[in-house]
Amino acid sequence: MSQNVAEIIVETLSSAGAKRCYGVVGDTINHFTDAVRRSDLEWVHVRHEEVGGFAAGGEAYMTRELALCAGTCGPGTLHFVNGLFEAHRSGSPVVLIASQVGTADTGVGFPQDVDPKPIYEQYSVFCETIINPDQVRRLTTLAAQAALAKNGVAVLIVHGDLFTQKPSQDLPYRTHRFDPITRPSAEELVPAIKALNAGGKISIFAGAGCEHARNEVMVLAAKLNAPVAWTSRAKDFIEPDNPFEVGMTGVFGLAGGYHAVADCDTLLLLGCNFAWTQFYPDKATIIQVDIDPQQIGKRHPVDIGLLGSVRDTCAALAQIVDEQHDTAWLERCRKSYHKALEHDAHESGDDALIHPQELTLALNDAAHDDAFFTADGGSPMVWMLRHIRANGKRRTLSSLVHGTMANAYPQAIGIQKAFPERQVIAMCGDGGMTMLMGDLLTLKQEQIPLKIVVFNNSSLGFVELEQKVDGLLDSYTDLDNPDFGLLAQSIGLWGRRVEREHELKHAIAEWLSQPGPALLDVKVNRMELVMPPKIEPGQVTSTALYSGKAVLDGRMSDVVDLVKSNFWK
């Protein structure tokens, strides 16, 4: 018996590697979810579609296989927007089945009639509508192939009444996968070789494009004796066991990475999409390698652009460039990095004061060697990037391009689903976690053994920092939070709250030992500043202005706490 549209979509996506579909069932996708029920795909019933988008993105990011979402017409599909925009911008291969009202009701203002195409084509690698059953296998195949080849979100728009229809012909389209060798020609490499052979202070700035090129980057760094800084998205691939490591630059970075990038003579950008131009060098020769020609010179002017994969281009350069023997520049940057790393790792002298860095370092020590970590946008993301040590087996994920709140534990749901035997830890801000708190119920219902830690400072902490640096009194950032440990217990999770420093390590050990979902609520220092590697005079002036305003507003204790927390070691 021939298959209908719903069955063909499920079969095609399953054959392309998909294992799970996230969503909320209802009306226009009921026949699709019934096809899922009768297949090998797992349906993950979330409470909010945005969480489903984050979860699918988290799974796809870590597995590099397809993950799926399906939404009902109108509001259901719209609810996925933020989660899937994040998935797309983080480079996660996800396919969304965006259902639409029936064909007879389209375009006449029928309830829940929303055209998702102009919404999703902004951030997708494929966005097409199936208008005839004969198209279904071909368009589904193209959607899966685009998502996998381009590492992004593909959207299939399907009218609800099409799911039960059968094609008159069903040709055997199937998804193809690719891994080509891509590098510049010999002639194109010549200017880069001349610049690198000139010697001096050569630095490498490694980005997300280094994901499959770690060995090639290390070989080239060794030949050049170049310090290797990395963007936040390259941490997992470049940090582990790296004798050239100097950390990140930018607001999230520390002094070693900052100086390696800002003070070099020649900067080699490898698959790097770092957006903040003020951290690039003023006078250095900049060589950029990228697989996407639109990225070359996009963030900062470059002298030499090389089109190719980081893996293949570095392999070619390493065979040809002269070996550099002077290690003074490398040693200087590494010394600066390790000094800054040690300085940033606060230890509390007050049992009632837990620094967020202290909590993060305790997590780093207690977690498994192959644990996954996610972190909410804001300060938890910074502490994860600085103090969770990558070792080649651990993985980290945050919203580093889209910059959304509320990503950590939803992304971790998808990761835990894909890796049920591995430890997954979500480092949540109190603001981020409460924004999508309803899907804590999903952890209970699906029995997902995720471990959530809440960095509870009773504020939108990163926003508070932004306001202070701008010389403003912090406003509308207070959060009147419950005891999250008790809240977790009330819905069937393990939960505990920690307010004293001496309780921290034992509580973390107990929390991580739980067989099911567990939440640890830790009261952390509200006055902690994320100190950048270089403090501009304007920032000092603005923070001083904030302090003056706070004193005049009767908040002298806040100023004292700010100074004690960040400047008195």
Side-chain angles (χ1 to χ4, degrees), residues 279-335:
F279 291 98
Y280 284 83
D282 294 327
K283 299 178 181 179
T285 298
I286 300 180
I287 305 165
Q288 184 173 5
V289 178
D290 207 286
I291 194 70
D292 181 357
Q294 292 186 320
Q295 297 300 324
I296 293 178
K298 178 179 179 180
R299 299 304 188 186
H300 191 278
V302 301
D303 300 282
I304 301 165
L306 298 174
L307 184 63
S309 73
V310 174
R311 178 192 66 189
D312 301 325
T313 306
C314 284
L317 285 172
Q319 292 179 14
I320 303 169
V321 296
D322 294 341
E323 188 170 358
Q324 303 294 324
H325 298 285
D326 188 354
T327 62
W329 171 238
L330 171 63
E331 291 168 359
R332 175 178 152 194
C333 292
R334 282 180 53 75
K335 182 178 180 181

Side-chain angles (χ1 to χ4, degrees), residues 330-350:
L330 171 63
E331 291 168 359
R332 175 178 152 194
C333 292
R334 282 180 53 75
K335 182 178 180 181
S336 176
Y337 171 57
H338 288 291
K339 181 179 178 182
L341 196 63
E342 183 179 354
H343 183 268
D344 190 62
H346 279 216
E347 290 186 8
S348 179
D350 181 348

Side-chain angles (χ1 to χ4, degrees), residues 70-91:
T72 58
C73 61
T77 292
L78 287 178
H79 278 161
F80 278 110
V81 167
N82 193 51
L84 289 181
F85 273 41
E86 157 59 33
H88 180 73
R89 300 190 77 177
S90 68

Side-chain angles (χ1 to χ4, degrees), residues 165-459:
Q165 296 182 27
K166 297 180 179 181
S168 60
Q169 59 174 355
D170 187 11
L171 298 176
Y173 293 100
R174 61 187 179 87
T175 300
H176 297 275
R177 316 264 310 239
F178 313 99
D179 185 21
I181 294 174
T182 312
R183 67 184 184 196
S185 67
E187 291 78 11
E188 290 174 309
L189 288 173
V190 170
I193 294 166
K194 287 182 177 178
L196 294 170
N197 285 349
K201 296 182 292 185
I202 301 172
S203 292
I204 291 174
F205 195 11
C210 297
E211 179 175 0
H212 302 294
R214 173 186 163 76
N215 291 338
E216 290 78 6
V217 173
M218 292 299 104
V219 169
L220 183 58
K223 197 159 187 183
L224 297 173
N225 262 312
V228 179
W230 57 82
T231 66
S232 48
R233 292 200 295 156
K235 173 184 174 71
D236 292 0
F237 325 121
I238 299 300
E239 183 180 42
D241 193 26
N242 181 352
F244 310 99
E245 65 165 351
V246 292
M248 299 178 296
T249 186
V251 174
F252 302 161
L254 294 169
Y258 169 80
H259 290 299
V261 172
D263 298 337
C264 64
D265 298 322
T266 303
L267 181 63
L268 186 55
L269 300 175
L270 300 177
C272 179
N273 191 24
F274 183 74
W276 287 270
T277 57
Q278 65 268 36
F279 291 98
Y280 284 83
D282 294 327
K283 299 178 181 179
T285 298
I286 300 180
I287 305 165
Q288 184 173 5
V289 178
D290 207 286
I291 194 70
D292 181 357
Q294 292 186 320
Q295 297 300 324
I296 293 178
K298 178 179 179 180
R299 299 304 188 186
H300 191 278
V302 301
D303 300 282
I304 301 165
L306 298 174
L307 184 63
S309 73
V310 174
R311 178 192 66 189
D312 301 325
T313 306
C314 284
L317 285 172
Q319 292 179 14
I320 303 169
V321 296
D322 294 341
E323 188 170 358
Q324 303 294 324
H325 298 285
D326 188 354
T327 62
W329 171 238
L330 171 63
E331 291 168 359
R332 175 178 152 194
C333 292
R334 282 180 53 75
K335 182 178 180 181
S336 176
Y337 171 57
H338 288 291
K339 181 179 178 182
L341 196 63
E342 183 179 354
H343 183 268
D344 190 62
H346 279 216
E347 290 186 8
S348 179
D350 181 348
D351 193 45
L353 182 66
I354 300 174
H355 291 286
Q357 304 97 310
E358 192 174 14
L359 169 56
T360 309
L361 287 164
L363 293 174
N364 179 71
D365 292 342
H368 292 171
D369 284 345
D370 64 350
F372 292 92
F373 293 85
T374 62
D376 271 333
S379 52
M381 172 175 67
V382 180
W383 309 133
M384 179 187 75
L385 292 170
R386 288 184 179 179
H387 300 299
I388 296 298
R389 191 70 182 167
N391 60 11
K393 294 183 288 184
R394 285 180 173 177
R395 295 297 309 276
T396 60
L397 177 60
S398 189
S399 180
L400 295 165
V401 180
H402 192 46
T404 184
M405 289 177 64
N407 59 286
Y409 95 83
Q411 288 174 325
I413 287 174
I415 298 169
Q416 189 74 85
K417 273 290 187 180
F419 299 93
E421 302 304 318
R422 286 175 66 176
Q423 195 177 66
V424 183
I425 297 171
M427 298 168 59
C428 297
D430 45 358
M433 200 275 287
T434 52
M435 183 177 280
L436 288 173
M437 194 160 57
D439 270 85
L440 292 177
L441 297 168
T442 299
L443 302 182
K444 175 65 169 62
Q445 182 165 328
E446 297 270 339
Q447 278 302 298
I448 301 170
L450 178 62
K451 304 300 181 283
I452 295 174
V453 56
V454 182
F455 285 63
N456 188 349
N457 58 10
S458 299
S459 73

Side-chain angles (χ1 to χ4, degrees), residues 5 28 73 98-114 129-133 135 157-165:
V5 165
T28 48
C73 61
S99 70
Q100 180 51 302
V101 297
T103 51
D105 296 320
T106 301
V108 295
F110 195 79
Q112 298 189 320
D113 182 3
V114 175
T129 303
I130 296 174
I131 60 174
N132 186 294
Q135 298 177 296
I157 302 167
V158 189
H159 292 276
D161 56 329
L162 285 180
F163 281 118
T164 57
Q165 296 182 27

